[in-house]
Structures are given as C-alpha cells and as structure tokens.
Amino acid sequence: MGAALLGLLLALALFVVPVRTAMAQGVEDESLADRPISKITLVGLGRVGDQEVRNNLRVAAGEPYDARVVRSDVTNLYRLGHFATVTADAKILPDGTVEVTFLLVEQSIVEAIQTVGNKALSDQELREVIPLYPGGPRDDFLLQQSVFKIKELYKSKGHYLVEVSVDESQLKDQGILIFRIVEGPRVRIREIEFTGNRAFPAKQLAAQIKTKPWIFLFRKGNLDEEALIDDVATLDAYYKDRGYMDVRVDRRVELSADQKEAKVVFMVTEGRQYRLRSVRVEGSGDGKLRVFSPEQLRGLIALRPGDAYTKPRIDQSTKLVQAAYFTMGYVEAMVNATYVRAGEEADVDMIVTVTEGDAFQTGLVKIQGNFITRDKVIRRLVRFQPGRPLDGNEIENTEKRLRASNLFNENRVTTQPVDANDPTNRDVLVEIKEKNTGSLNFGVSVGTDQGFGGEISLNQYNFDIADPPASVGEFVGGRSFRGAGQTFNLTIAPGIDVSTYSFAIGDPHLLESDWGGTASGFYRQRIYSQNDEERLNGQLGLGRRLGDFWSFNTNARLEWVKLTDFQSGTPIEIYNQAGPYTFSVLAAGVQRNTVDNRARPGSGSILDLGVSQYLGDYTYPTVRAAYTTFLTLDEDFLGRKTTLRLNSQAGYLFSSSAPVFERFYMGGRTLRGFAFRGVSPQSVAVLNQQPWPAAPIPLTAPFGNTPANPDAVTPVQPYWQGNPVGGQFMFFAGAQVELPVFMDAVNTVFFVDSGTVEDSVSLDQYRVSIGAGLRLYIPMMGPAPIALDFAVPVMKEEFDSTQVFSFNAELPF
C-alpha cells in the first residue's frame, strides 16, 4: 500500500507542476529569478512599431530573468511618450524558461490643436511655444509644458492673472487638443514700496531688484512671480552681505479694484547689524602657519574690531592675505573667512583659515594661440621670470595687460601641474585668441570750434611694417602687415572749416628696446574768420616709460605754414606773416599719469611738462605745463561716481616776434563762455580794402583811406575791435563737477573756467566764466562723450568775444 500511495503522489506532482508553471507568476515572483528568458511578447501595439519598442528594452532572450530590469524597461517605455499605460507580466513555460509580456496601451493621437479665448496673442504666437503637434501622440509631460509656456508668454506681456486649462473631454473623445485661455487684464506695476527698512533707503534697495514700475515708453512694468522670488533672495543677500545676519524678507502684491494695476510691497525685518569682535588667523589642518605669523596676517585684515561685518571688507581681507602668499610663490594658497556669533550680542568672531600649500619657482612660460601676433609682442606683457618665485598675482595682472593691449578677444593665464621630475618648478601657460585688429571707419565730427566734417580712417594696431604681402590676395585677406604690435593710421577728414589728411606709424618697442618710436605727418587746411591757414607737418618721435606712471618723450618736427585768403578786418600782423614759412621744432617732455580709468577717471592725476625750441625762419624757445587731478566726491549704490576735475595749464613763448600761427589763443572749448580764439591780445591795425598790397605793411605806416592811398591801413583803437593776434603767455585754471543723472548714459556738469592770454606774464586781464552742461555717453559712438555746455562770463574784457553755447561730438558710423 505504501508503494501505491507513493506512486499516486508522484502522478499528482507530474500533473500539477505543468499546470502551475503555465500560469502567470508576476514580475516580482522569486521563483522566476535567474531562469533563462526564452520569449518576449508585446501586446497592444498598433501605430507604434515593434522594433522601436524592442530597441528600448534591456530584457533579452537568453538572459537570466531580473525583476529590476523589467521594471526599468517599463519606465523607459513610459518615457517614449507613445503609451498611456505600460504593464509587464511574466510566466514560466513548460520547459522551465520565462516568457515576459509587456501590455501596452497606446496614447491617443492629437488630431488638431486649438486655442480659445486668446485676444492679446495670436494663434501663431501661441503655437510657437506649444511642443505638441497635430498627428503626434498625446504626451502628458509636454501637455503640462504647453500650459506652463503659454502662461509664461502671457505673463511676459503683463497678463499676470492669466489662466490656461485643457479640455480633457474633447481630447479624449475626438483627439482635439483645446487650450482654454482666460487672459485677464494686463497688470502693470505702478508702485514699489519697502517697509521695515531703516538701514538702507528705498531708492538704494530698488536699485538691487529686477522688478521695476511702469514708465510710459521706457519700461513695461510687467508683474513676474519668478522675478519677485529672485528679488526677495537678492534683498536677503544684500542685507546679509552688510552684516544683517538675522534679516527676513518677503513680498506682497496688492492689485487695484480693476486688477489692471499692482503695488508690490517688499517687507523687511532687518534685525541687528553684526560687528566684528575679534580676528583669529590659523592654518588648516594642525592650525599652524609656516610662512607668515598670525600677527603679520592680522595686519593685512581690512576689518578692525568694532567695524560692521560686511562682505566687501571680508573679500578685501581674504584677497590681501592671499596676495601676500602669491607674492612669495605660494600659488595654491587658499584663504577662507568664516564667523561665529559671540554670545547674545550682535558681535561675531572672524576666523581666517589659510591653506598655505607649497612654494614654487617659475618654469617655462609657454604661449599658445598666436597665429599672427609674434611671441615677443606677447612676452612684453608677461612678466613672469623663469627661476624666480612664481608670483600668483601676476596671473591676474598679465590677463589685465593682455586685455588692455586690445589685440586679443580672449586670454587665459594658468599655472601647469607639477612635474614629478621637477617638483619645485611650475610652467606657466598663456593662451590667447587673436582678433581682427584692423578697421576701416567712417564718421562725422561736429563742434563749435572745428565746425562740421567727415572722416574716413584706416587703423591697424597690430601692424608689422616688415611683413609686406607676397600677393594681392594676401593683402586683401589681411594676412600681411600684421603681427608686430606696431600701430598704423591713415585718415582722410574733409570738413567745412577744417580739413585734415594724416598718417602715423608707431612701434612701442623700437628695435626691441624699451624705447618707442613714431613717425607721422599731416596736411591741414583751416578756415578762420579772417584768413585761411595751410600747414604741412612731418614728425619723428621717441619715448619710453619710466616705471608704471612716468614717461618721457622727445620729438623733432618740420613744418611748412602759409596764410591765405585774407578778409577785410584781418590784423596787419597776420597779413605780414602770410609766409610761406618753413621751420623745425625740437621738443621734449615728461608725463606722469596715475588715473584709474582713462575713459572716465575717478581718481588720480596727470602731469605734463614740455619744452620746445623753434629753429629756422623763427628761432625761440617755449615752455608748457599742465596738471589735472580727479577726485571722487561720492559713489552711489549703482557704482556711479560724482567726480571733481581740477585742471590748470600755463605756457610761455620766449619771443615777442613769434608768428601769430604759433601764439596762444583761448576760447571756445578751451575757455567756455568765450568765442573760439576770442581771448587774446588784439590787433592795433587791420586791412581795410582790396587789393591787398604785395609787400608787408609796417605798423608805423600812415593811416588813411583815400583814393590816392588805396593800400593804406585804417587805424583801430587798440583792444576794442576784437581782432585776435595771439599772445606770448597763457594761463588756465578750471574746476568741473560731473554728476550721474540717468544710468551710465547721461551726466550733468557744473564748471568754472578761468584764464588769460597776454603779451607778458601777467594776470591783469583775467577772465572767469561759470556754466553747466550735459555729457552723453553712447558706447557705440566711442568712449568720448557728446559734450554740450552753456557758460556765462562773469569777468571779461570789453573787447572779448563771448559765446554762451558750445558743443563737441565725434560720431563714428
């Protein structure tokens, strides 16, 4: 009986097992683990291709079954966007292998896309931001993106309250995707208010945020929720950077009754401003410092106990400490400043942690990226010295000099990794990206002194006179006359009153020396009220820098001058010096320049001293001196500076017979409130009628105006007729305050100009004028501003010519 029972159990087992294994086990059934997969079945495919699905599956026939891989494949198929639902199942086949089945329900097709309720934006504008397309499958992720992008587009147009929804029933039943839009009114910000701010005025805080009120034609004033969130974070950081560690900032939007206007209120709880109680300097790791003592580094900290704990001063302190290490060759030195609160008072203890690293010497200095510019031009700007301590400060300084050279679009200076064979030296890599340094410019110039004129100029400030073209194509393609860092200029500037034709070529390192050389020349024709002047000039110059601020220059020039086209009323002195004259001038000068910004100085000074010796038809010496200093009176929260400029200059000709075309004159832009050349000693006698005599007229000639004496001169009461002939002595002193008005584009100036031109060293006939004006800074028109000034003389001579308005502008196209 026992044998019969055993046989019965075996028969039941053989019957039950195949039936069980033919049933679905579920993907998580442990009995499926590691069994070989023999079959993968896809159920529910219609428009989606079988191969596309299989290409996104990791499960494969012959691989052991892994439930994690099956789950991952379900996620991947969802991400395709073709399916509304994806499920997986698995079962054991009679042969013990596993069949994996994916049950797929395809997404419905979007037959058409429509927008309803949109008036402010067209259907075409909305379609551009909707990533779905007719004929494609429904994709819930892209559907949500569409709603979000439509809202963002409306909010950018000022519709802050816009609502966008999708008609699900139409999409499900007919495949028509309809976006229903409730635009709402256009909301404009009329006012921004700050509450709770005591440390900083509202105007200062408003300058930090992006949200701005509406201004007709100038600012949209749209209400943007994302921008408000960013503004709250900005204000929070602004306060904390200035020592208000406990500050809290939030915002509130108040809509008008018609929901067309909004008031944004930023609510600030400032808390206390924390101050520095003490400074502790320590090394990282064991806390010990090897290079400098803690006392030495504390002396570099810009903060002192009792000072407000502000980020600018903290950053300045860490930079000074790091610079000290960089100078000693510790280019990997890192300085970090943190703080801990000291008890319940508003005090903090500053902890400066220094990671010193190792000191290195300078190895090789490599230059890359200069296909045109010669290495020697770049190495002049790179002051790393192989074998000397690797000065980390020179990395930033070199990059500044390379940018200031204006030869490159980009530059980067990096220290290279340590070589295991030479661990004490590190190479320096200078990478540059060259730019086109040549330009053909067209422009106009207009001013009360020089009148109206046009200009065509050809400039190349990476010129190489020793690189002539080998072919016409090389010249046209700009592959010649380039690469040596020399400068070249050719200008054609015809004008109504002044016409100039000039050329100049210069080399800042003549013959690879520290001396710079220039060669230039010009022809100029100038029309004055009483006569015309022609001048031809050729000049050679030498100069060199003496340190970072001083420079020296000397030059020799040869000039040819002729006066023509005399008018009635021309002073006899001018007529008698009609020329033509040829003379040479030897000149030398020194300059000291410490201004912080050449285009818009805020501090520093410029000193210019010069002496000249005239030789030839005229022989006499001259001296000139000029000094200008700039002071920043105030700097607002936008970084705009109110500056004071004090300038003075003086000159003297050591000859009473110096020609009128070389004497001193003032007026116009040189002494505002007076006419161009209106400040000068006046003529004693003037020409009266034509034809003019062929020979010079002695000033002692008999005066008269009779038919028998047609070439006579007419006596004029000295210093009353306003006929300038220039003076031997010139002096000027002026002060000008420039204040920002609108952004960085418009400034206003208030000034006092004073000075005189006389025949001897004297201030007897001193002039003074006061005035105001505007400075328009337009970047595309160059760094020089358009200057418009109104001035009124308060001290003048009876014979002076005055001029209330003066202006000057040079506008390149």
Side-chain angles (χ1 to χ4, degrees), residues 508-755:
H509 292 271
L510 192 63
L511 302 176
E512 301 306 314
S513 69
D514 292 331
W515 288 84
T518 60
S520 63
F522 70 81
Y523 170 77
R524 184 175 67 217
Q525 185 178 32
R526 173 82 200 227
I527 300 176
Y528 294 105
S529 61
Q530 298 164 335
N531 63 279
D532 295 353
E533 177 187 292
E534 293 182 72
R535 186 181 293 256
L536 186 64
N537 171 291
Q539 178 172 296
L540 296 175
L542 286 173
R544 67 168 296 172
R545 295 196 62 84
L546 305 173
D548 292 332
F549 304 121
W550 287 90
S551 62
F552 167 79
N553 67 81
T554 181
N555 64 76
R557 72 178 190 266
L558 181 66
E559 294 207 23
W560 175 89
V561 179
K562 182 180 181 180
L563 307 182
T564 61
D565 197 16
F566 300 102
Q567 305 297 313
S568 296
T570 300
I572 295 297
E573 292 94 327
I574 295 179
Y575 178 80
N576 285 345
Q577 295 177 3
Y581 294 103
T582 301
F583 57 91
S584 58
V585 182
L586 301 177
V590 292
Q591 297 82 33
R592 183 179 186 272
N593 190 327
T594 62
V595 298
D596 58 346
N597 185 308
R598 292 183 180 272
R600 299 174 73 168
S603 64
S605 63
I606 302 172
L607 174 66
D608 191 351
L609 304 174
V611 59
S612 302
Q613 176 64 50
Y614 284 71
L615 301 169
D617 290 338
Y618 292 98
T619 302
Y620 62 91
T622 70
V623 292
R624 298 191 67 158
Y627 180 75
T628 305
T629 186
F630 300 90
L631 303 170
T632 297
L633 303 181
D634 183 51
E635 184 172 354
D636 65 15
F637 40 87
L638 293 177
R640 302 178 304 179
K641 296 179 179 179
T642 297
T643 59
L644 170 65
R645 185 188 72 187
L646 302 173
N647 60 310
S648 62
Q649 55 181 308
Y652 186 71
L653 310 178
F654 290 87
S655 173
S656 59
S657 60
V660 292
F661 47 80
E662 292 295 301
R663 295 178 189 172
F664 297 117
Y665 299 84
M666 294 180 70
R669 297 299 301 169
T670 58
L671 184 56
R672 290 164 289 189
F674 295 87
F676 176 66
R677 282 195 164 189
V679 176
S680 162
Q682 306 297 296
S683 62
V684 176
V686 298
L687 296 173
N688 186 47
Q689 68 179 58
Q690 298 186 21
W692 310 128
I697 304 172
L699 295 180
T700 58
F703 297 135
N705 187 18
T706 65
N709 187 17
D711 296 337
V713 295
T714 301
V716 178
Q717 186 172 2
Y719 306 111
W720 280 29
Q721 296 301 315
N723 300 295
V725 292
Q728 288 181 249
F729 171 72
M730 176 271 293
F731 178 80
F732 174 86
Q736 176 173 291
V737 176
E738 183 170 348
L739 303 92
V741 175
F742 179 73
M743 303 177 65
D744 285 329
V746 181
N747 285 9
T748 185
V749 297
F750 299 93
F751 58 85
V752 176
D753 284 358
S754 68

Side-chain angles (χ1 to χ4, degrees), residues 449-506:
D449 289 359
Q450 77 273 15
F452 179 84
E455 179 179 302
I456 302 174
S457 64
L458 177 64
N459 298 285
Q460 174 59 259
Y461 45 93
N462 193 10
F463 189 68
D464 187 355
I465 196 172
D467 181 29
S471 65
V472 175
E474 190 174 76
F475 176 76
V476 174
R479 299 187 301 275
S480 60
F481 290 125
R482 292 180 64 190
Q486 300 165 0
T487 59
F488 175 82
N489 170 266
L490 179 65
T491 300
I492 300 174
I496 296 176
D497 294 330
V498 183
S499 296
T500 304
Y501 309 91
S502 65
F503 79 93
I505 183 171

